[in-house]
Amino acid sequence: MIVFERVLKRYPGGRCGLDGVSFRLAAGEMAFLTGHSGAGKSTLLKLVGLLERPSRGQVRVLGRNLGRLPARQVHRHRREVGMVFQDHRLLMDRTLFDNVALPLVVTGTPHREITRRVRAALDQVGLRGRERALPSTLSGGEQQRVGIARAVVNRPPVLLADEPTGNLDPELSREIMALFERFNQVGVTLLVASHDLDLVKRLGHRVLTLREGVLVQDTGPR
Amino acid sequence: MRPLTSWVLRNLQAAVGTLGELWRAPLTSLMSLLVIAIALSLPSGLLALLDNLERLGARWEGPASLSLYLKLKTTAEEARDLAGRLEADPAVAGVESLSPDQGLAELRAIPGFDAALELLDSNPLPRVLVVRPGPGRHSDAELERLRAFLAALPEVDQVRLDLQWVRRLQRLMALARRAVWLLAGLLGLGVLLIMGNTIRLEILNRRAEIEVCKLVGASDAFVRRPFLYRGLWLGSLGGALAWALVGGGLWWLQGPALRLAELYQSGFRLHPPGLTAGLGLLAGGGLLGWLGAWLAVGRHLGEIEPD
């Protein structure tokens, strides 16, 4: 599902994001990505979501060689990879409904289908009936859940999350992680970056550890 | 859903959605519309005025005619004979004969001439034949050929082509028309740049939204579409507004124009720009708007990528 082969990512100016990273993630697998900030976690996720391209080596996701994917097909790839961010990147002047509906709107989904699926997604993250609310009226944890609903509303086979619990207290963090585990149970492949080592260890999934762009540890699930 | 149907549907959605956005920000939209309308109404107003002047010129022109001033010694019989010969010529549609007495009577009818004419002991006026050229003989070359032929006749002293000043007016207007088109070209370019800048600002305003759309897999076409429709709407509505401005302006000038025409016993009135002109402005404005938006989108949308 996700394959990295000796991937090198160098940014303009010579800064190295990733340095020779290789690993495989099978379909339906769930893994955490840990390391200090600046270790390359975000870079790795951006390569999977095609927000960046590798400088060298191969990134294959869903059978696509992302280094060679023509620019006009990038958007098709992004439709199949849901992304959740620490700052959730919601449109603050749009209702929850409009925010969550966005991935369906851009694919030209019929209106009725959009309504049904947005309701279902908000229901899954525990925000049923809040469609008309604006994100600014929500707590941080709730905003994060809206971001998750948006990432899963078009049922992507791959879900990425970059520090999804970074701003949340331990209890909310556990809730969010439980949500991810539920998606994983229905077959979604998940890659979650987090520096919250305690939480990661307790959940007992596969853990990839990065240090200065190098994959230094790959511990299997308990 | 068939691809074509869904393509039409998506465009319709973008078109209606963009119109809604313009409606929800009325002041901003009105400002943009007015700028475009004023830029478009200047050349189209001038063109409408020129059209009216040309209409006026056509009223005065009537069929072209040549006045033949016969030599003084020509008798009435010789004149009649010449008129008969000329009428038989296919280059001539008709000949009207004016005797010196008729000419004098015409002059007397002009106020003030009466007293001056009393001073003359004999009628100094020549006989005049007014020649109307035959059908299809109104071009400059044909008229000139006819004039040369008539001037060479032994009975003829002088030939005057009566239309010279109308032709001068026509040439002058052709010049003015070209100048107006030049102005129209420059102002059209101005509209293009204004629209480009308006759309550029709109793109920058919606940077966050564009980033998120691209993040969740929006195609370039999807991101581009609302901006193109915004340009199309602003341009075509601006064109329609320009049409209304020109029509309103001419309506405002109508009163003084009528009073001026009265002095010349003319029933002339200003004609507002017609439906064709209106549709032309609508389409032209729309095209300029779309193109301006296209330029802005091509230049700035690619720079915005999620990170």
Side-chain angles (χ1 to χ4, degrees), chain A residues 46 51 75 78-79 83 85 89 91 94 102-103 105-107 150, chain B residues 1 10 208-209 212-219 222 305-307:
Chain A
K46 282 178 189 173
L51 302 183
H75 68 273
R78 289 189 189 149
R79 287 173 189 179
M83 282 180 270
F85 300 87
R89 303 211 186 167
L91 296 173
R94 306 288 182 89
L102 209 56
V105 171
V106 303
T107 57
R150 184 181 68 190
Chain B
M1 213 169 358
R10 277 204 293 270
E209 186 186 338
V212 171
C213 281
K214 285 192 170 182
L215 200 63
V216 298
S219 64
F222 179 91
E305 275 293 328
D307 56 4

Side-chain angles (χ1 to χ4, degrees), chain A residues 158-169:
Chain A
V158 177
L159 187 58
L160 309 175
D162 193 358
E163 300 285 358
T165 62
N167 296 330
L168 304 179
D169 61 45

Side-chain angles (χ1 to χ4, degrees), chain B residues 31-95:
Chain B
M31 287 297 171
S32 306
L33 279 182
L34 272 177
V35 170
I36 292 156
I38 290 168
L40 289 176
S41 66
L42 196 59
S44 48
L46 287 173
L47 278 179
L49 275 180
L50 278 178
D51 274 342
N52 276 290
L53 276 178
E54 256 162 31
R55 227 184 269 263
L56 195 63
R59 282 164 85 95
W60 283 336
E61 183 171 21
S65 67
L66 298 105
S67 302
L68 309 187
Y69 299 93
L70 303 184
K71 286 175 179 153
L72 282 175
K73 61 179 199 284
T74 315
T75 63
E77 200 161 331
E78 282 170 333
R80 211 166 23 244
D81 189 41
L82 178 62
R85 270 187 290 138
L86 286 178
E87 270 184 331
D89 194 311
V92 173
V95 180

Side-chain angles (χ1 to χ4, degrees), chain B residues 74-282:
Chain B
T74 315
T75 63
E77 200 161 331
E78 282 170 333
R80 211 166 23 244
D81 189 41
L82 178 62
R85 270 187 290 138
L86 286 178
E87 270 184 331
D89 194 311
V92 173
V95 180
E96 194 190 337
S97 185
L98 277 168
S99 70
D101 292 341
Q102 281 170 308
L104 202 61
E106 274 188 19
L107 280 183
R108 265 189 222 291
I110 301 172
F113 265 72
D114 208 4
L117 292 172
E118 288 301 326
L119 299 174
L120 300 171
D121 16 326
S122 70
N123 185 349
L125 296 177
R127 288 175 186 283
V128 178
L129 294 183
V130 179
V131 174
R132 278 181 287 114
R137 307 264 177 172
H138 285 260
S139 72
D140 282 4
E142 290 282 352
L143 284 174
E144 184 49 39
R145 196 174 305 145
L146 189 59
R147 197 197 62 78
F149 163 72
L150 293 171
L153 292 170
E155 298 90 339
V156 174
D157 185 27
Q158 240 188 64
V159 179
R160 213 187 73 207
L161 195 53
D162 283 338
L163 288 167
Q164 237 121 48
W165 75 270
V166 172
R167 293 210 181 274
R168 255 179 234 144
L169 181 69
Q170 280 172 348
R171 302 260 159 91
L172 215 65
M173 284 202 294
L175 181 71
R177 186 168 284 269
R178 188 159 292 191
V180 170
W181 277 114
L182 191 70
L183 186 73
L186 285 174
L187 285 169
L189 192 67
V191 168
L192 204 70
L193 295 177
I194 291 167
M195 189 58 76
N197 201 42
T198 308
I199 298 297
R200 184 182 69 87
L201 289 176
E202 184 67 21
I203 290 173
L204 294 180
N205 266 340
R206 294 168 67 166
R207 196 186 177 94
E209 186 186 338
I210 294 168
E211 277 184 10
V212 171
C213 281
K214 285 192 170 182
L215 200 63
V216 298
S219 64
D220 286 346
F222 179 91
V223 178
R224 200 182 313 141
R225 220 174 273 132
F227 296 106
L228 294 181
Y229 273 104
R230 177 172 284 260
L232 182 71
W233 284 126
L234 284 176
S236 53
L237 291 176
L241 192 59
W243 185 50
L245 282 179
V246 172
L250 284 181
W251 175 80
W252 194 56
L253 294 178
Q254 187 72 270
L258 281 179
R259 282 193 287 284
L260 183 66
E262 257 168 37
L263 290 182
Y264 291 90
Q265 275 93 48
S266 159
F268 176 75
R269 50 188 300 124
L270 289 170
H271 285 258
L275 194 65
T276 329
L279 290 178
L281 273 171
L282 198 83

Side-chain angles (χ1 to χ4, degrees), chain A:
Chain A
M1 183 63 70
I2 299 178
V3 180
F4 272 58
E5 275 176 18
R6 294 186 302 280
V7 173
L8 181 104
K9 175 66 190 175
R10 205 183 287 281
Y11 286 102
R15 194 166 60 83
C16 205
L18 287 181
D19 192 359
V21 171
S22 301
F23 72 94
R24 274 162 189 272
L25 203 64
E29 205 175 338
M30 177 167 180
F32 282 99
L33 201 55
T34 64
H36 296 292
S37 58
K41 304 190 294 286
S42 295
T43 303
L44 195 151
L45 292 182
K46 282 178 189 173
L47 287 170
V48 178
L50 208 45
L51 302 183
E52 304 277 5
R53 300 225 190 203
S55 310
R56 221 179 295 158
Q58 258 194 21
V59 178
R60 286 201 306 277
V61 178
L62 296 158
R64 295 187 186 99
N65 183 345
L66 298 190
R68 299 236 179 103
L69 199 69
R72 62 176 187 284
Q73 283 180 31
V74 168
H75 68 273
R76 292 189 189 285
H77 176 72
R78 289 189 189 149
R79 287 173 189 179
E80 291 177 36
V81 178
M83 282 180 270
V84 177
F85 300 87
Q86 180 172 6
D87 59 359
H88 22 80
R89 303 211 186 167
L90 300 176
L91 296 173
M92 301 311 264
D93 57 344
R94 306 288 182 89
T95 61
L96 296 199
F97 184 95
D98 288 348
N99 268 289
V100 176
L102 209 56
L104 300 173
V105 171
V106 303
T107 57
T109 310
H111 191 260
R112 205 181 264 220
E113 177 80 359
I114 291 180
T115 312
R116 199 177 62 72
R117 282 167 71 169
V118 169
R119 292 227 171 101
L122 282 172
D123 192 21
Q124 276 177 308
V125 298
L127 288 168
R128 182 217 284 268
R130 304 286 294 276
E131 289 108 45
R132 296 282 136 228
L134 288 172
S136 53
T137 63
L138 269 53
S139 70
E142 286 171 326
Q143 288 185 5
Q144 190 55 280
R145 283 189 271 157
V146 178
I148 294 169
R150 184 181 68 190
V152 300
V153 73
N154 59 348
R155 300 184 194 133
V158 177
L159 187 58
L160 309 175
D162 193 358
E163 300 285 358
T165 62
N167 296 330
L168 304 179
D169 61 45
E171 179 145 1
L172 285 172
S173 300
R174 269 196 300 281
E175 271 178 35
I176 297 287
M177 290 304 179
L179 201 53
F180 284 137
E181 285 181 319
R182 243 181 290 146
F183 289 122
N184 180 237
Q185 276 156 19
V186 295
V188 178
T189 308
L190 261 138
L191 190 53
V192 181
S194 174
H195 63 258
D196 189 346
L197 278 175
D198 290 344
L199 181 65
V200 167
K201 274 183 191 145
R202 210 166 330 122
L203 290 167
H205 294 282
R206 182 176 168 191
V207 180
L208 302 166
T209 309
L210 286 168
R211 188 180 301 150
E212 288 168 10
V214 181
L215 186 61
V216 291
Q217 205 176 15
D218 183 352
T219 54
R222 265 191 320 221

